[in-house]
Amino acid sequence: TLGEDQLVVEDLSVNYGRIEAIRGVSFRVPERGIATLIGANGAGKTTTLKTISGLRAVRTGRILFEGEDITDIPSYKLVKRGLCQAPEGRGTFVGMTVEENLDMGAYTRADRKTKGYRDDLDRVFSLFPRLKERRSQYAGTMSGGEQQMLAIGRALMSRPRVLLLDEPSMGLAPKLIQQIFSIIVEINNQGTTVLLVEQNALQALRTADHAYVLETGEVVRSGPADELAADDSIRAAYLGGD
Ligand code: ATP
């Protein structure tokens, strides 16, 4: 069951110089829910995520995490507080092994190398058995899909209560895409709230509880994900009309 709104975005506007990337964006992510932001290329999805995770400054609006205003809090502090974005695209440390990358993900934690740390490593390895098999391999020598998994695994090592994911399916083969989405559901079932940004709208709507549609920097539709997935105009615009 879904609880209180854990993440609340209110009237958020962000500029790049004079370009308005997003305008008056508002949405909520309930505790233990999966929300998705869908929309075309350039709609403002990445900007929204980066702003929440403290990587971009806001022009107007505010962001609340568990009831506290986090609008101007930098990324590394948010990670400590329990809100973490998996790095965009692959974003792994290519010259480090899988295990060293996962270790870096736990850097903000006091219990590094203790039982809590080992439990989390076990959790990541059970979600991604491939990473366990390759724990001593350099990240840079792995496939795109494996690096994507490593990026998510690394974020999980900070034990986030809210996990932000930017296009986790990007560039993956269809079989791997299915796998990544079912792992996202499993992460959520284990108690982590998820905010998912996707261009793969169909998969995103199948995975999420609630969806927001961004168009040229504004939220133009929102609703339960299954309702949007069944909506004719959404299907025509984002799901190839099938
Ligand atoms: P994509 O799926 O391509 O990442 P998106 O929905 O995530 O698209 P954003 O990347 O957030 O969209 O971009 C929103 C708007 O801001 C676009 O018009 C884009 O051109 C512009 N923009 C993004 N990054 C910059 C930047 N660094 N400098 C200037 N404009 C930018």
Side-chain angles (χ1 to χ4, degrees):
T1 56
L2 304 180
E4 304 275 287
D5 290 325
Q6 195 167 15
L7 187 66
V8 178
V9 170
E10 285 179 355
D11 199 29
L12 205 64
S13 301
V14 176
N15 277 30
Y16 294 101
R18 289 196 309 205
I19 300 167
E20 285 189 307
I22 56 170
R23 261 190 316 277
V25 166
S26 297
F27 62 90
R28 300 162 172 268
V29 186
E31 194 176 354
R32 305 197 71 150
I34 305 182
T36 185
L37 303 178
I38 60 172
N41 227 311
K45 307 181 298 296
T46 297
T47 301
T48 305
L49 270 205
K50 280 189 174 167
T51 307
I52 295 169
S53 57
L55 301 167
R56 297 280 335 169
V58 311
R59 188 167 65 77
T60 67
R62 59 176 199 158
I63 303 157
L64 303 176
F65 172 51
E66 296 174 347
E68 287 183 56
D69 192 328
I70 58 156
T71 313
D72 298 314
I73 295 188
S75 175
Y76 74 96
K77 285 191 180 163
L78 294 176
V79 174
K80 278 192 189 170
R81 284 196 186 196
L83 184 144
C84 184
Q85 179 172 350
E88 227 183 331
R90 289 158 197 181
T92 54
F93 301 113
V94 293
M96 291 185 179
T97 66
V98 166
E99 201 159 350
E100 286 163 351
N101 266 274
L102 293 173
D103 203 25
M104 292 298 290
Y107 79 102
T108 56
R109 288 180 39 188
D111 67 344
R112 223 172 150 190
K113 301 290 178 195
T114 63
K115 179 159 189 315
Y117 170 85
R118 284 192 304 273
D119 287 349
D120 287 351
L121 196 60
D122 286 345
R123 176 194 181 198
V124 169
F125 284 156
S126 77
L127 285 164
F128 302 105
R130 192 83 178 156
L131 296 182
K132 187 171 187 179
E133 288 164 29
R134 312 220 150 182
R135 62 201 292 170
S136 303
Q137 192 171 327
Y138 285 106
T141 66
M142 300 202 303
S143 73
E146 288 162 349
Q147 290 190 45
Q148 197 83 275
M149 291 175 180
L150 181 55
I152 298 173
R154 199 175 74 198
L156 287 175
M157 290 302 290
S158 70
R159 204 184 281 178
R161 294 189 300 285
V162 175
L163 177 66
L164 310 181
L165 294 170
D166 193 0
E167 307 240 9
S169 78
M170 188 166 60
L172 302 186
K175 211 180 103 198
L176 264 181
I177 291 179
Q178 287 298 336
Q179 211 181 324
I180 279 276
F181 281 103
S182 55
I183 290 167
I184 292 168
V185 169
E186 201 174 330
I187 290 169
N188 176 250
N189 285 338
Q190 293 175 354
T192 310
T193 304
V194 176
L195 175 59
L196 172 67
V197 155
E198 263 297 336
Q199 277 197 57
N200 188 334
L202 182 60
Q203 285 290 353
L205 292 176
R206 282 182 181 153
T207 305
D209 315 302
H210 210 82
Y212 296 86
V213 181
L214 275 181
E215 230 174 77
T216 56
E218 293 179 284
V219 174
V220 294
R221 287 288 301 273
S222 67
D226 52 353
E227 281 178 24
L228 291 192
D231 183 283
D232 285 341
S233 63
I234 296 287
R235 298 184 74 81
Y238 300 103
L239 307 181
D242 55 344

